[in-house]
Amino acid sequence: MAAEPCAIIGVLDNGAASLTPSTLARLGQAQVVIGARRTLTLCDAVLSPDTERRCLDGELGRVPAWVEKARRDGLNVAVLATGDPLCHGIAGFLIRKLGRDACEVLPNLSALQGACARLGLPWQTLHVCSVHSQDAGEWTVGATPEHGLYHFAQAARHHDLLGVYTGPANSPDRLARLLLAEGLGEAFQMSVAEKLWQPEEAIIGPLAIIEAAARRFAVPNVMILRRVQSRPGTPLFGLADHEFKQRTPDKGLITKREVRAVSLARLQLEPASVLWDIGAGSGAVGLEAARLCSGGHVYAIEKNAADVAIAEHNRSRLGVSNYTLVHGKAPARMDRWPAPDAVFIGGSGGGLAELIQLCLCRLKPHGWLVMNLVTVENLATAVATLQAVGADWDVTQLHASRSQPILRMHRLQAENPVWIVSARREAS
């Protein structure tokens, strides 16, 4: 007969002193106690000499089996965690593996609650992030979602108050350097709570981000970021053409607003969509898509070096972090990209037929491929290729005119007509 549910107990850095009498009693009943070396040491004095202690450092994947075996053997088992085990802690992992009925969570204060209490900061609007993981390395602009600091970079774009569980390598100074790289150095102030509930406890800050980037902090710590500069009020959709820097003297190498709006609509983007932007040019379509897909990512490629520099400038000015741009001719390096929910082709570099076939092959089921074409030759190639592969496709010709002043009146000046070719990847 199985023992009672596994107790998942939150512990603070003052050890057993942080536990309530009922939690202490529950821990005292445990015949098997699992925890990191640090938490086992913190609670060692209240454990019986006969209690089996198991260190989970480097063995996280084995913990569910350890718990199951102990319960099958009729033994009471407890897992020690830090703070609130359900806030970026081990409890969610164990409940997924063992089932809700096999676990009982006995939470404590979280370190972020403690930091906000020290700062006198109401925390109901706090957005919680965690970079308490393996060394992610320094942030580079345009990094993909695989980077360990990616989600923090995204969160800083969209929230005014952030609480961050840091790590020994992914430390507050590293996060400050990320903010500087993303042009957010003046947008925030940082406070760091060091060694909470220990004799050496200290609250550092608020600090300017440039100051925080150059100093080290005692471990363990958590970080609070408060926005001190309002977020820019840029429209989410339908940015004017002049919002984008464009190549000169070839002014106008940009997908115009009217065409951009229809193309984005045909892409059928969702908040978490992955988009490929092939022939990015000045970046107008891909960057506007990235702003629409705040939980997704845009992978862009452009063969012209001058346009790459311009697109990067536009990315920085618009404050976009979920956008990766590579300099090259498609399809080079695209084999490393994840399967897209949608693909936009603004330029093909002469290999349109091959690109269409590749994109339809890589698209997720029901994903959309949208192309902007301005020559009848490319239109013919696109239609022939889509017919040959049996795709479901359609063509829209968009011919917009814009008003221009003439004396004290206005006339309409035509923009170049564009064919918008859309094709859908059906389920396999």
Side-chain angles (χ1 to χ4, degrees), residues 112-303:
L112 291 176
Q113 284 177 282
C116 287
R118 304 300 194 271
L119 293 165
L121 185 65
W123 64 285
Q124 64 267 19
T125 61
L126 188 77
H127 180 82
V128 178
C129 304
S130 178
V131 294
H132 189 77
S133 58
Q134 64 184 12
D135 189 342
E138 290 289 324
W139 176 257
T140 56
V141 172
T144 64
E146 289 70 37
H147 195 287
L149 304 183
Y150 177 85
H151 295 291
F152 166 74
Q154 283 293 90
R157 292 288 185 192
H158 301 290
H159 297 278
D160 297 333
L161 181 65
L162 293 91
V164 186
Y165 291 105
T166 60
N170 303 322
S171 50
D173 57 297
R174 173 175 282 178
L175 300 181
R177 290 190 291 274
L178 178 155
L179 294 172
L180 291 173
E182 288 292 331
L184 294 170
E186 296 182 0
F188 288 95
Q189 285 184 341
M190 177 189 294
S191 298
V192 178
E194 302 176 335
K195 297 193 171 184
L196 285 171
W197 298 290
Q198 298 183 52
E200 305 89 348
E201 177 183 307
I203 305 297
I204 311 298
L207 301 172
I209 300 303
I210 193 167
E211 181 183 353
R215 65 179 293 168
R216 295 294 296 172
F217 299 89
V219 177
N221 61 65
V222 292
M223 183 180 82
I224 303 292
L225 278 180
R226 281 183 282 186
R227 185 177 283 275
V228 294
Q229 187 182 81
S230 297
R231 281 180 276 166
T234 311
L236 185 62
F237 179 74
L239 295 174
D241 295 345
H242 65 75
E243 296 286 348
F244 299 95
K245 182 180 178 182
Q246 303 165 49
R247 196 195 326 166
T248 55
D250 303 314
K251 191 83 168 179
L253 291 178
I254 185 173
T255 303
K256 298 297 195 297
R257 176 161 52 182
E258 296 83 358
V259 178
R260 195 181 337 128
V262 175
S263 298
L264 287 166
R266 293 306 307 267
L267 285 166
Q268 296 289 282
L269 299 172
E270 298 181 6
S273 289
V274 172
L275 171 71
W276 289 4
D277 180 12
I278 301 172
S282 301
V285 172
L287 289 169
E288 195 155 350
R291 299 173 79 245
L292 292 169
C293 305
S294 59
H297 197 82
V298 173
Y299 295 83
I301 187 167
E302 170 55 48
K303 65 183 180 65

Side-chain angles (χ1 to χ4, degrees), residues 13 21 82 121 228 308 404:
D13 280 348
T82 56
L121 185 65
V228 294
V308 169
Q404 295 290 331

Side-chain angles (χ1 to χ4, degrees), residues 326-342:
V326 298
H327 178 207
K329 182 178 178 180
R333 300 172 65 179
M334 288 168 50
D335 59 327
R336 307 175 192 175
W337 293 354
D341 299 287

Side-chain angles (χ1 to χ4, degrees), residues 352-361 369 371 381-393 423-426:
L352 183 59
E354 294 77 11
L355 279 175
I356 291 172
Q357 295 177 54
L358 170 65
C359 293
L360 289 175
C361 180
L369 164 64
M371 295 168 273
T381 298
V383 169
T385 304
L386 293 171
Q387 287 177 329
V389 299
D392 179 17
W393 60 273
R424 193 176 190 188
R425 163 82 186 270
E426 298 297 337

